[in-house]
Amino acid sequence: MSTWEDPPRTEHVVARAGSSVHAWTAGPADGPLVVLSHGASMDHRMFDDQVGPLAGAGYRVLTWDIRGHGRSRPIGRVPMGVADMADDLVALLDHLDVRGPVCVGGQSLGGVIAQELVYRAPERVAVLVIIGSTCITLPIPRWEQWALRSSLWWFRFWPWDHLKHVIATTTADRPPVRAYARDAVDAIPKADFLQIWRGVTRSLRPEPGYRIEVPLLLTHGALDRTGDIVRTAPAWAARDPYCRHVVIPLAGHNANQDNPEFFNRVLLDFLAEHYPAA
């Protein structure tokens, strides 16, 4: 784990669609903002090893619990899609009176939310950081779209305790990270997880000719076996003109937790070049 001291955090709560969305800020109030959104069934704690190094480098850091996760309960109005999650994030930024472009990052589902935000409101994004996410705008075969949609049906009938075990053991490589993942998913009722996963299955928006026109740090773990992430990352990196593609060694799906020292060096180097702190 990181040797950086954990900085003080300020909690924020915003009412959204029948839910109380909880977020935390750390670091200098006048520092460039770095937003980090967690993956499906995780929570804001998955970035604990990033908050200290970022704050120490002069950045203000925003982490939050997406509706239905962590302390952002109840889940509120459903069905809930990725567009709703992106709207919740914009509401948090507005609550903090953040109007200019910022660094928007996320892992898995959080990376999908980041992509949705840069697609819909590119003026709010200065740089993009992706950890273990599928590109939602690349064209994909119809059978892969069908496989994603049909996964919701399989999850409905999957015994919940066993599914939670599978999520925890496949999302990370290191035992402490697996223990965290199990603790995070244990806090979510199955009905809420299915609503969250429904949003994931409807997140793809293939757009031939579309490009992300801001600096993009695209990362995934070398041991990530989730979906098509590793297979399609090179095509994503080749498509977007300002993309830096880095594979995180000795790391699974939660790559920023499995190998935080390597990931943090890559992240801070990227930010120093494209989104420097004063």
Side-chain angles (χ1 to χ4, degrees):
M1 292 292 180
S2 172
T3 58
W4 288 81
E5 182 178 349
D6 189 32
R9 306 190 195 194
T10 301
E11 186 171 5
H12 310 266
V13 183
V14 176
R16 290 289 300 169
S19 180
S20 296
V21 177
H22 288 247
W24 294 263
T25 53
D30 59 349
L33 185 66
V34 176
V35 180
L36 297 172
S37 303
H38 61 80
S41 77
M42 303 294 109
D43 60 25
H44 73 283
R45 294 175 296 161
M46 81 170 302
F47 297 110
D48 280 354
D49 281 327
Q50 281 69 59
V51 172
L54 284 166
Y59 293 95
R60 188 184 190 195
V61 188
L62 169 66
T63 58
W64 63 301
D65 288 343
I66 299 164
R67 271 197 285 146
H69 301 77
R71 297 189 62 184
S72 294
R73 312 203 57 81
I75 194 170
R77 185 175 61 237
V78 294
M80 176 181 67
V82 168
D84 300 300
M85 302 175 200
D87 286 343
D88 292 344
L89 178 53
V90 169
L92 283 171
L93 294 175
D94 290 347
H95 171 77
L96 296 171
D97 198 28
V98 176
R99 308 293 174 175
V102 300
C103 171
V104 179
Q107 188 269 345
S108 197
L109 170 60
V112 171
I113 295 170
Q115 292 176 69
E116 179 72 19
L117 182 58
V118 76
Y119 180 89
R120 293 166 46 193
E123 72 280 359
R124 303 201 73 145
V125 181
V127 295
L128 195 64
V129 176
I130 301 294
I131 310 162
S133 289
T134 294
C135 182
I136 64 173
T137 50
L138 274 176
I140 66 170
R142 287 187 177 182
W143 72 265
E144 288 190 1
Q145 295 189 50
W146 175 86
L148 180 60
R149 289 288 185 99
S150 67
S151 65
L152 181 62
W153 187 90
W154 291 105
F155 285 166
R156 289 186 189 279
F157 296 99
W158 198 323
W160 183 221
D161 197 61
H162 185 257
L163 179 55
K164 289 189 292 184
H165 172 77
V166 171
I167 290 171
T169 55
T170 60
T171 201
D173 186 60
R174 293 197 302 123
V177 185
R178 290 181 175 182
Y180 153 76
R182 180 59 194 251
D183 182 67
V185 72
D186 270 340
I188 302 175
K190 185 176 183 180
D192 287 359
F193 174 79
L194 293 175
Q195 288 292 340
I196 295 160
W197 193 254
R198 179 187 179 278
V200 173
T201 65
R202 288 160 171 76
S203 63
L204 302 181
R205 50 159 78 239
E207 294 281 351
Y210 172 75
R211 301 289 185 273
I212 294 174
E213 299 289 347
V214 300
L216 164 61
L217 176 61
L218 175 61
T219 71
H220 61 76
L223 307 176
D224 195 341
R225 298 293 179 265
T226 306
D228 63 355
I229 290 168
V230 172
R231 179 175 62 80
T232 59
W236 185 356
R239 185 198 71 173
D240 289 336
Y242 308 109
C243 179
R244 180 181 301 172
H245 177 207
V246 180
V247 178
I248 309 301
L250 304 175
H253 192 47
N254 290 19
N256 61 297
Q257 293 181 290
D258 270 339
N259 194 343
E261 291 79 11
F262 186 96
F263 176 82
N264 291 346
R265 287 197 301 271
V266 170
L267 175 61
L268 290 171
D269 287 348
F270 176 82
L271 293 178
E273 180 178 352
H274 297 288
Y275 188 65

